[in-house]
Each structure stands twice: as C-alpha cells, then as structure tokens.
Amino acid sequence: MHSFLGRWAGRRAPNWFERLLPASLLARFLLVMTLGVLASQLIGNLIWASYLKGKSEQEVSQASSHVASGAASAIQYFQTLPPNFRHLVIEQMREMGGTRFFISTNDSEIHLHSIAPKPLSNLVIEQIRHQLSAQLPQLLDLKVDFSWPEELTVANDGTRIAELPDHWIKDTLLIQPRPAPVLVIQAQIEQGQWLYLATLMPDPFFLDNSNPLPLERWVLQFATLLTVLLLSWVVARWITGPLAALSNAAEAFGKGESPILPETGSVEFVRTAQAFAAMRERIVRYLEDREKLFTAISHDLRTPITRLKLRTEMLDDDAARAEFHEDLDELDMMVKGALQSVKDSDIHENHTSISLDAMLGRMVRDARLAGHEVAFTRCGLRVHGKPLALKRAIGNLLDNALYYGHSAEISVFEGVGKRVIVIRDHGPGVPDDALETLFDPYVRLEHGRHSNSHGHGLGLGIARNIIQAHGGELVLNNHHEGGLQAVIMLPAD
C-alpha cells in the first residue's frame, strides 16, 4: 500500500487536470468533498432505488395474485347463478354492507377513465388478466384497469360511484379523505352479460412506491450535502489557515521583515511555528555574522593592500612595478565590489507605501540635471517596499541604460496584481546568448568595459537581489526596435 501511494505521489498530474482544479487548497478540498459526497449519494440512491423497486414489485405481485384469486371465485359463483337471481344476490350483498368487491351487472362493457400508466399498475393489470384468463378460460372477454373514484362509472346509465349510498361502498372502496385508485375487473360471463367488480389493492396507496426517490428524499440528500460541505469548510479552514499564516510569514521574512508565527493550534502547526522561528533566528544570525565578516575583511584587507602598493613603489624594475600595481588594483577592485554588493543588498529599513511617480520623478530630474536624456510619463501607481533599496535597484538599471545607451525611457504599467516598470535604452543591445550571464558577478561585456571603465559588474546582480527580496522579478531582453530593456515586476501595493 505504501509503495503504491509512493508511486502515485511521484507521478505528475496531467496539465489539463491541473488547469481544471482551483488554485487554493481550500477550494480543492471542498471540491473533492463535494464530488465524493455526491458520488456516494448517487451510488447509495441507485442501490436503494433498486432494492425498493424489487421489494415493491414482489409485494405487488403477491397482492395481485391474492386479488385475482378472490375475483376468480366471485366470477365463478355468479356464473353458476341463473341470470334472474344475480340481481337479487347483489342487492342482498349490498344491504349486508358489501363484500371485498363492489359488484354489479351490465349488458355491455363500461368505458373507464384510466389512471396514468405506471410500472406497478401495469404489473397488477397484466398479472390479474393473466391469472384470470388461466383460471377462467370460458370467459368471453375480460377487461382490467385502474380508475380514480371521482371518475369511476359503475353502470351503463352513467351512474358514478360517488352517487351510490355510502353503506354500499364504505367497506369496499376508499373515497375520503384521500382517494385511492380503484381496480376494476369487467368479465363477460355470457352474451349480453358483463360482471363488474371494483375493489382496492391490499395496500391502497401502493402506487406511492412507484417512485423510490421522492422529493422528500432529495431534500434530505441536499441537506446532508450542505451539512458535510459546511463541516468540510470548517475543517479546511483549520488546516489551511495555519498554512496561509506560514506562507505569509515566509514571504514577509523574505522581504526583510521579522514576522512571528503564533504557537497555537494543532501540535503539528506548533512544531512548524517553532521550527520556523528557529530557522528565522539562524538566518538573522547568519546575516549579522556575514556583515561583521565583510566589515572585518574590509578593515583587514585594505591595510596590507595599501602596504603592498607602497612597497611596489620601491621596486627598481618599472615593468615589475606596473604588473604589481595592476594586480593590486584588481584585488582592490574585487574587495570593494564584494563589500559594495553586501552593503547594497543589506539595507535595513522598514517597508512603506511608495509612490512610483515621486521616486522615479526624482531620479529622472537628477539624470536630466546631469545632462542625460530620459523620457518618463507619470502613472499614479504605488508599491509597497523599502524606498532606499528600490531606489538603489532602479538607479543601477537606469545608470546602466544611460552609460551604455546614452538615453533611456521609463514606462510603468499596471498588471494583474503587480506593477511593471520597463527601463529601455537605445544602445546596441546584448547578444541573446549573453543575457543570462549579465547577472553573474564581475561579468562585463566588451561594449560595457569601453563605455564605463569604473564599474565592477555587480550592479545587475544587486538590483535583482533587491527586487527579488520585494517579491518581484527582474527580466532582461532586447527590444525589437533595438536596445536593451529591463522589466521589473513588483507586487501591487
């Protein structure tokens, strides 16, 4: 069992199936519970309907056989009587209060208003007709049908059963308060003589069993489904609530905040909150140690580098002195670049709502005062983040555009749940195979080294780290009209 679950867990769901599923865990849980309950109810109802149908058909078949036997005996009895005595016997039976059947004689068949056909009523009619035909083969004709009492005619003159005296039918037929369908058997016992028998089935309301799934059962099923969904929603909120809190805390911590997960709820979540707190403390300690380490490196390396530079001045060989100076300058540049990378990434400030118009507008004015050409249109949008950090990240990208493209365009768009900032230059662009390497430390293309000899090749990496720390993304690509464009995607405020 465990191996099967492991193999199934390792398989990836088809893409079309993933697209059909809702995004949130709560919605997926409710969807699975809904489908599960509906499937179980459907299967249960089918089984229950099949059972009730078989049971009803068996009971109706037994009742039909009993009624057919009584009707056959009554028909045989009246066949033995002389025609003149039949009316006398019928009147005596009515005065005595009736029998199982309401009986009358007619000179022709009476047309009946039949009830709407149903499987159980058709079963009764077919079985009684078959049994009477088998027991009484001498009958000239036989009619079996059901009719409602208010439409039931009992004589050729159109007399209805409701017009008869109550003591004739009160022990035989059920008219009030809830009418039951009346079974009518008309047997032609001789030429011009029809025997009319009307009775009720042993279960007068047997037709109610024709529908094994009445409206009341569907209402009960719907109420059960709503109850299960409500309880599932409560349980799902218990499960997904801590997961959402953990996700929000992890996202906030990734942006430089110090969230604290409450250690309440289930044992599993308390352990998760404790593990998250311990992880947060270790990471904070690591960042602090890293900052101290690079501060110590800055102090410890600058002194020997300076001493080495002084000592190279004492060398008599000009070529050797030049090579030493070149190596020391390169080493000094690498130390400064590493320190700058740490300093620019570790900006300790609080998150706040930032107006992009105000921040970008100041950067554009400064660039124009320096003699650069920058195009910018106000957007009226805001983001949430660290102002100095975002300014440094966008400033690095703008500086690159001005250094390598001589002019820049800044555009801001509103996406679905995000803000998109596009910084485009009008330079030569970048080869497509070199786009992915631009974020690597100390990577500078030939055009960049000629345009800006003082750079270290760390600006793009610093900008991407800051933007990613804000939950955003930085993408570089070549514009179809020429030049390189940097696309910054930040979460909406």
Side-chain angles (χ1 to χ4, degrees):
M1 183 68 176
H2 291 292
S3 61
F4 171 76
L5 292 177
R7 290 194 302 270
W8 176 257
R11 295 178 181 175
R12 188 175 181 83
N15 292 333
W16 62 267
F17 183 72
E18 285 291 339
R19 287 194 295 268
L20 291 177
L21 290 177
S24 67
L25 179 60
L26 174 62
R28 291 188 178 190
F29 184 81
L30 292 178
L31 176 63
V32 171
M33 290 299 299
T34 302
L35 294 179
V37 173
L38 287 177
S40 63
Q41 287 183 340
L42 178 61
I43 296 174
N45 286 332
L46 290 177
I47 295 175
W48 179 251
S50 177
Y51 166 74
L52 287 183
K53 180 181 178 182
K55 181 180 178 182
S56 299
E57 290 178 351
Q58 182 181 5
E59 292 176 350
V60 166
S61 178
Q62 293 175 352
S64 301
S65 178
H66 178 69
V67 171
S69 297
S73 299
I75 294 173
Q76 287 176 340
Y77 172 71
F78 276 91
Q79 280 181 323
T80 60
L81 294 176
N84 296 334
F85 284 91
R86 291 171 184 165
H87 291 286
L88 297 176
V89 172
I90 291 175
E91 290 178 1
Q92 289 179 353
M93 293 171 59
R94 290 173 179 173
E95 293 298 330
M96 294 171 56
T99 60
R100 177 183 180 86
F101 298 94
F102 171 81
I103 304 176
S104 66
T105 57
N106 300 286
D107 54 10
S108 64
E109 175 192 356
I110 299 175
H111 178 70
L112 301 177
H113 296 279
S114 303
I115 66 173
K118 294 186 178 181
L120 290 182
S121 62
N122 293 338
L123 177 63
V124 172
I125 293 172
E126 291 298 327
Q127 185 161 345
I128 290 179
R129 181 184 292 116
H130 175 75
Q131 189 167 340
L132 289 179
S133 299
Q135 294 184 13
L136 303 172
Q138 70 275 16
L139 292 178
L140 301 179
D141 199 357
L142 179 66
K143 303 292 182 181
V144 183
D145 209 344
F146 280 98
S147 180
W148 292 109
E150 61 270 15
E151 300 175 344
L152 183 58
T153 304
V154 297
N156 295 118
D157 58 3
T159 303
R160 293 181 178 269
I161 199 168
E163 302 172 2
L164 300 177
D166 290 340
H167 68 277
W168 285 13
I169 58 175
K170 67 179 182 178
D171 295 329
T172 303
L173 304 180
L174 185 60
I175 299 178
Q176 297 294 338
R178 178 186 175 190
V182 179
L183 174 66
V184 178
I185 302 173
Q186 299 185 77
Q188 187 177 12
I189 54 179
E190 58 187 52
Q191 203 68 31
Q193 281 286 322
W194 286 77
L195 190 64
Y196 182 102
L197 292 85
T199 186
L200 297 176
M201 294 292 292
D203 178 8
F205 306 106
F206 73 101
L207 289 181
D208 293 347
N209 298 328
S210 296
N211 182 16
L213 299 175
L215 178 61
E216 294 80 4
R217 182 170 179 83
W218 287 113
V219 172
L220 177 61
Q221 297 287 329
F222 183 70
T224 303
L225 177 62
L226 288 182
T227 303
V228 172
L229 289 182
L230 179 61
L231 295 177
S232 301
W233 181 81
V234 173
V235 173
R237 287 300 297 261
W238 283 346
I239 296 174
T240 59
L243 292 178
L246 178 61
S247 174
N248 294 334
E251 183 178 1
F253 183 62
K255 295 178 180 179
E257 302 176 10
S258 297
I260 298 177
L261 279 177
E263 297 183 6
T264 57
S266 63
V267 175
E268 293 79 6
F269 180 70
V270 170
R271 291 177 180 174
T272 303
Q274 293 172 347
F276 180 82
M279 179 192 69
R280 186 187 68 244
E281 293 176 359
R282 286 195 299 269
I283 294 177
V284 170
R285 211 164 39 240
Y286 164 75
L287 294 176
E288 292 175 351
D289 293 343
R290 187 187 68 164
E291 186 175 357
K292 294 177 182 178
L293 174 63
F294 275 90
T295 302
I297 291 175
S298 174
H299 179 271
D300 294 342
L301 288 183
R302 288 180 183 275
T303 301
I305 290 175
T306 304
R307 284 201 307 265
L308 287 174
K309 284 185 177 181
L310 291 175
R311 289 176 181 174
T312 56
E313 296 295 334
M314 301 173 62
L315 294 175
D316 296 332
D317 190 344
D318 294 338
R321 185 169 58 250
E323 291 180 359
F324 271 108
H325 271 294
E326 184 179 351
D327 290 340
L328 290 174
D329 288 340
E330 184 177 354
L331 179 60
D332 189 34
M333 183 190 70
M334 294 177 63
V335 173
K336 289 180 180 178
L339 293 176
Q340 181 189 357
S341 176
V342 175
K343 183 191 298 185
D344 290 350
S345 299
D346 294 342
I347 300 177
H348 302 288
E349 57 178 329
N350 295 326
H351 283 71
T352 184
S353 181
I354 305 169
S355 170
L356 292 177
D357 286 342
M359 182 177 67
L360 295 176
R362 285 193 298 268
M363 297 172 65
V364 169
R365 285 194 301 270
D366 294 341
R368 287 173 179 172
L369 288 175
H372 297 291
E373 182 182 346
V374 182
F376 170 64
T377 303
R378 300 177 66 86
C379 60
L381 300 176
R382 307 182 72 89
V383 295
H384 192 77
K386 297 179 177 181
L388 293 179
L390 282 179
K391 182 178 179 181
R392 183 162 295 168
I394 298 175
N396 285 346
L397 297 173
L398 181 59
D399 290 341
N400 283 348
L402 295 176
Y403 275 127
Y404 308 132
H406 308 297
S407 64
E409 297 177 5
I410 302 179
S411 306
V412 183
F413 306 97
E414 183 176 11
V416 180
K418 59 186 176 182
R419 307 288 186 255
V420 181
I421 305 172
V422 180
I423 303 174
R424 179 199 169 191
D425 63 43
H426 293 272
V430 175
D432 292 336
D433 56 352
L435 284 173
E436 293 297 327
T437 64
L438 292 180
F439 294 107
D440 296 340
Y442 307 109
V443 172
R444 305 185 68 206
L445 302 182
E446 187 67 26
H447 173 70
R449 284 193 293 268
H450 289 299
S451 301
N452 180 15
S453 59
H454 300 289
H456 301 140
L458 298 171
L460 289 177
I462 293 172
R464 185 173 67 170
N465 291 339
I466 293 174
I467 292 169
Q468 288 178 344
H470 283 76
E473 185 179 359
L474 173 60
V475 178
L476 300 177
N477 53 61
N478 289 307
H479 196 273
H480 64 278
E481 295 181 358
L484 182 71
Q485 64 178 9
V487 182
I488 304 171
M489 289 168 282
L490 294 171
D493 186 11

